[in-house]
Amino acid sequence: MEMNHFNQNWESEGPALRVKWHEKADALFPELQHKSVQADSLLELIDDPVAWQGVRAVRTEEASGLSLREWKKGDSLFLDFGEHHVGYFTFSMHLADGCCGSPAALRVLAAELPFELAYKAENFRGGLSQAWIQEEFIKIDVLPGSIRLPRRYACRYLRIDVIATPGALIFDQIEFDTVSTANYLPPAPEYLSALEKEIYTTGCRTLRDCMQTCFEDGPKRDRRLWLGDLYLEAKVNAVTYRNFRLVERCIYLLAANCSENGMLPACAFEHSGMRTRCFIPDYSLLFPALLLEHGKAFGNREIMEEFYPLAVHQANLFQDFLQEDCTLRNTGSYWFFVDHDAKLEKETSEFCIYLFALRNLAELAHLLNREDDKAEFLGNYSHWRGIVRREAMDPDTGILLSGKDRQISEASQIWGVLSGVLDAGEGRRALAEMKKLPDVIRSRNPYQLHYLLEAYCVCGQEEKAYDLIRDYWGGMIRLGADTFWEVFDPDGIAPVLYGDPCLVSACHAWSCTPCLFLQKKGSAPEIC
Ligand code: RAM
């Protein structure tokens, strides 16, 4: 069978395949669309305890008058570009008296959210690199003159502090050369309510700004392709921008970065010299679904054929972790993700994601006329499904439990539904019963909540999905979001991931998925 063939030959054939896949990814390198954007207003920052992260940006005047203003040492200028964008800045400046006896020195800070405009390096408490902060110190020796900053920024706001200047400084123009492979916003469907339209547009803007030369997770941080994010981006892309070549480039990039044993990486860099050591088995297990859904949406059977063995291989590799008591073995060197929540017991979700992969592989096998493979996947599926039901399901409540402490989490129920471990009726009951219990681990990031939306749809509870979209994603809009955030807890003020709120990405791919559901709201309920 081809899947065994792949196992046997990976070691010898892997290196050549990786080179070939990289070449194919390179051949699909997209052209970026540029759009020049000017600031629309000048701002001031106000501390406001009820604003998101305690800071509000208040418009003071139109930016059209910028070239009439003079700035001196110690002044700070705050600009609003009207909406979140990704791109490059060019500053054109001159001195009021025309005399340039020394350089001008500026501090530039690009910010996705108003709070970041108040960033002070000495207060940074982050667990990830401080280099992610979009802060620069620049010197301009020749005035009048123009300077284009080399780095790409993701922001809506810009702060410029004048550290030193030989005279009164005038900004003639501050141009934001914005880039995306889809530099436009598709119109929201007419049948949506005003709030839903805003959610739809915000989701599209989020995806637009993540669509660079690959699908990035967040254009501020990590600025790279992650498999879990790509799967969701590809789904939304299929009903919005329909840039299927970019999806294929990403598939090739991930494949080109497989490990020595053929496991797909959790993330990949575009430059062939940069490799990752990050492997998330539950992300690798999403590859069959990505391949299947992409192949169907784009109508490309060839890519399904090409990567079918690699998709099968991901499930085969995962078998090493599975134990008959519904626990995972030898998990040491891997990051099992499911959700950022450190308290989450992941074992039941991981088993269910494996079952989800088997179902997708069975469908892929069927589409590719490999009926023997299909039968084998389904055989495996019913074996492991039985084990999850026997070991993890509470016989009284029908809720799925996880780990040695028999933890109850939303994630276990969600993946229970999406894998088919729970049928629709059981899923409805487990999702509802779970909410009544104390100490349940709820999902608080848009990645996991996307899967809750899908689970509601599988259970025939579309209205609950739309309620959640209006509450949760609508909650970000009510707090001023114009792109959706990496993490959001409507009950907490501002959940801090990575130790410092300035590190959190406020335009994050995995948060754009309400578009998928809203796009199809007007049609038949089959969305998942
Ligand atoms: C973070 C990012 C990224 C996600 C990984 C698992 O670094 O949020 O989007 O895929 O975690």
Side-chain angles (χ1 to χ4, degrees), residues 150-221:
R151 190 160 192 264
R152 197 196 74 191
Y153 299 95
C155 63
R156 169 172 171 171
Y157 306 104
L158 189 69
R159 170 179 184 152
I160 303 173
D161 297 316
V162 181
I163 299 171
T165 175
L169 186 63
I170 295 169
F171 290 96
D172 301 305
Q173 200 187 30
I174 296 181
E175 191 211 354
F176 197 7
D177 171 23
T178 69
V179 289
S180 161
T181 33
N183 212 347
Y184 67 97
L185 295 173
E190 270 313 312
Y191 49 78
L192 299 177
S193 70
L195 173 64
E196 289 167 346
K197 279 186 182 154
E198 216 179 322
I199 295 174
Y200 182 90
T201 301
T202 303
C204 288
R205 187 181 292 117
T206 305
L207 184 58
R208 175 196 75 185
D209 289 352
C210 292
M211 286 174 75
Q212 299 298 325
T213 48
C214 71
F215 280 97
E216 297 183 4
D217 63 331
K220 180 181 88 175
R221 203 223 82 242

Side-chain angles (χ1 to χ4, degrees), residues 128 217-218 221-222 226-229 266 278 280 283 335 337 340 447 486 497-498 505 508-510:
L128 302 180
D217 63 331
R221 203 223 82 242
D222 305 313
W226 284 85
L227 179 41
D229 301 67
C278 185
I280 299 181
Y283 271 15
W335 180 17
F337 178 62
H340 273 124
Y447 176 67
E486 178 178 19
L497 274 184
Y498 323 114
S505 154
H508 213 70
W510 68 21

